[in-house]
Amino acid sequence: MREAISVAEALEMVLEAARPLGAETVPSADALGRVLTASVVSARTLPPDDNSAMDGYAVRAADLADYPVELPVVFDVPAGGRAPRPLASGEAARILTGAPLPPGADAVVRQEDAERMEDRVRIPGGSPPRAFVCRAGENVRRAGEDVASGETALEAGCRLGPAHLGLLASLGRSSVAVHARPLVALLSGGDELVEPDGDVAGGRIVSSNSYTLAAACREVGAETRYLGIARDEPVDLERRLRAGLRSDALVTSAGVSVGDHDHVRGVLQKLGCRLLCFGVRMKPGYPFVFGRFEPGPGPLVFGLPGNPVSALVTFEQFVRPALLAMAGHATLHRPRIAVTLAETLTKKAGRLHFVRVRLERHGHEVRARSTGNQSSGVLRSMTEAQGLLIFPAEATRLAAGAPAEVQLLDEAFLASTGPGL
Ligand code: AMP
Ligand code: MG
């Protein structure tokens, strides 16, 4: 087991172990946010025919050399219908958007550029500078311009968003193969903890981590299974941990440091978990444990510190990227943005600090200011933070006005507009 490793080393160790889960087939309509395990090859041509991009008149462009032009309207092609016969030279057909172009026609004159007169249509043509020219292909959507039959429409590894689900529907694919969603078993531990409806008299506190961590799992598409609150004694702890062994990740909070009542590490080892690291040189979140069952099967094990901020910050750094990797995602990390410090920060050398910060735009610059009290017990500071500022391990002072990097927790900040942007 490695102790007191850097954040980068711990992340590398976690990502080395977090492999994409196998495939499952799900209804396409339910596949939002999932990642394809195999490319989708189209068995269809989309659109299937050359068709009209506008409501108007199908024509042969060669018939429209000199304006005005008057043509007989010989038939109608409704949306969802077909032409009864090819269009001959000197003829026009009424056509609606999306309807297949009649054979022989090669262009569509928009309704707005034509005048209908009973069974004829007149195309005035206009005069300079608004001269009207109708070329072959005008207002026509070509067969296969979206997807050709046999073409790879979506690549393996692709994350499915709304447009992807629409395309799958158009291709007639009612189900798709995607990476399974990781199942995360969550355990809280500590004699002081109660559920939210419990009695908080006598120094008891609500196990907020159960809620924070379950929500953080769901935010990345993982499923959760709550194992409850374990008492600070090995028998109850072991019973509950056992119940979490059939999961992809087992996430505990509290009970992993060196206190007399911290049994988590010992019980995990007894159950066959190999602990790979204990202690990461970061603040908050030093007492982080990572382990795995070797040889498997068994979940990846993340022992997070109990303090609410430490639990969430270590989740952000290690568990979140691991869950995304298991679900097959290529993008594992929060966006990082360059900021300017609005105030001077100091610390001792040795640990990387994740400073909870609020962000403000000033012209093209984003300024970061600490949310205030950085105690790892103050969960409210996380609700107020839009990001975590990276105060490197060996640095001791970041001066006001200096550049720094922030992991953006509130990704909507990127979309917010401000003066000068
Ligand atoms: P421990 O790691 O057991 O020493 O816990 C560190 C601190 O985190 C203590 O103040 C605990 O009360 C608190 N804590 C532990 N587990 C939770 C939890 N599930 N929810 C909220 N706070 C917790
Ligand atoms: Mg405890």
Side-chain angles (χ1 to χ4, degrees):
M1 183 173 69
R2 293 171 63 197
E3 292 196 41
I5 62 179
S6 70
V7 173
E9 287 167 331
L11 183 61
E12 190 186 334
M13 184 182 275
V14 166
L15 292 182
E16 167 65 29
R19 297 282 152 196
L21 299 176
E24 65 177 2
T25 300
V26 300
S28 301
D30 297 338
L32 183 66
R34 306 290 292 271
V35 179
L36 290 178
T37 51
S39 299
V40 173
V41 176
S42 177
R44 291 183 176 172
T45 298
L46 295 180
D49 305 286
D50 290 352
N51 69 84
S52 179
M54 293 285 173
D55 290 348
Y57 297 89
V59 295
R60 292 176 175 237
D63 290 342
L64 275 67
D66 298 304
Y67 297 96
V69 185
E70 220 179 283
L71 301 169
V73 179
V74 293
F75 52 79
D76 278 22
V77 196
R82 279 200 177 275
R85 64 169 177 81
L87 195 79
S89 176
E91 292 180 340
R94 173 81 177 131
I95 193 163
L96 294 181
T97 306
L101 213 61
D106 60 8
V108 171
V109 176
R110 297 185 311 164
Q111 195 162 292
E112 300 90 306
D113 296 325
E115 294 161 12
R116 181 69 184 258
M117 300 173 308
E118 313 242 307
D119 57 353
R120 299 181 73 74
V121 63
R122 182 170 183 274
I123 300 146
S127 46
R130 297 187 57 236
F132 174 87
V133 187
C134 179
R135 295 187 189 84
E138 197 92 10
N139 299 320
V140 174
R141 300 192 285 222
R142 290 278 166 221
E145 75 177 20
D146 200 344
V147 186
S149 176
E151 192 185 340
T152 298
L154 296 170
E155 303 275 356
C158 167
R159 179 181 184 278
L160 299 174
H164 303 81
L165 300 196
L167 184 57
L168 288 167
S170 300
L171 295 174
R173 293 284 303 254
S174 57
S175 62
V176 273
V178 293
H179 289 283
R181 287 149 56 103
L183 172 64
V184 184
L186 290 165
L187 179 70
S188 292
D191 287 342
E192 75 281 26
L193 301 178
V194 293
E195 296 295 353
D197 57 357
D199 181 2
V200 291
R204 294 184 150 229
I205 60 162
V206 170
S207 172
S208 59
N209 290 349
S210 313
Y211 292 81
T212 309
L213 299 174
C217 289
R218 286 200 300 274
E219 199 176 45
V220 292
E223 290 183 78
T224 57
R225 190 164 158 232
Y226 183 43
L227 304 174
I229 298 170
R231 298 291 131 218
D232 279 326
E233 55 93 7
V235 176
D236 187 40
L237 193 57
E238 182 177 333
R239 183 177 67 80
R240 290 178 189 271
L241 283 174
R242 271 189 196 284
L245 293 183
R246 281 218 299 275
S247 60
D248 300 302
L250 174 57
V251 176
T252 68
S253 75
V256 293
S257 48
V258 288
D260 289 346
H261 303 292
D262 292 345
H263 303 289
V264 175
R265 283 193 284 165
V267 174
L268 283 170
Q269 281 171 311
K270 183 181 168 200
L271 292 175
C273 174
R274 182 170 160 226
L275 297 180
L276 300 176
C277 89
F278 170 66
V280 179
R281 298 196 308 272
M282 63 188 275
K283 190 174 175 182
Y286 183 86
F288 168 79
V289 167
F290 177 63
R292 63 192 294 185
F293 288 80
E294 284 174 8
L300 297 186
V301 177
F302 299 88
L304 310 185
N307 274 309
V309 178
S310 313
L312 190 49
V313 170
T314 47
F315 182 97
E316 278 288 330
Q317 303 311 315
F318 309 118
V319 188
R320 185 179 185 277
L323 297 180
L324 287 168
M326 287 180 184
H329 292 272
T331 303
L332 305 181
H333 303 295
R334 298 278 195 188
R336 279 196 186 199
I337 60 168
V339 301
T340 303
L341 273 164
E343 62 193 343
T344 299
L345 299 175
T346 57
K347 70 168 177 67
K348 286 193 285 191
R351 292 187 189 181
L352 185 158
H353 284 209
F354 291 99
V355 184
R356 284 146 264 166
V357 288
R358 266 193 280 266
L359 303 174
E360 274 170 41
R361 289 188 190 275
H362 288 267
H364 290 287
E365 193 178 84
V366 176
R367 289 193 201 152
R369 186 182 297 281
S370 156
T371 56
N373 187 345
Q374 294 284 313
S375 154
S376 55
V378 181
L379 186 55
R380 170 132 180 234
S381 64
M382 283 301 275
T383 69
E384 290 170 354
Q386 287 156 307
L388 296 173
L389 183 136
I390 296 165
F391 194 161
E394 296 318 317
T396 55
R397 186 168 187 274
L398 294 178
E405 266 200 307
V406 164
Q407 291 179 350
L408 206 55
L409 298 174
D410 174 12
E411 293 180 19
F413 181 80
L414 287 178
S416 66
T417 53
L421 286 171

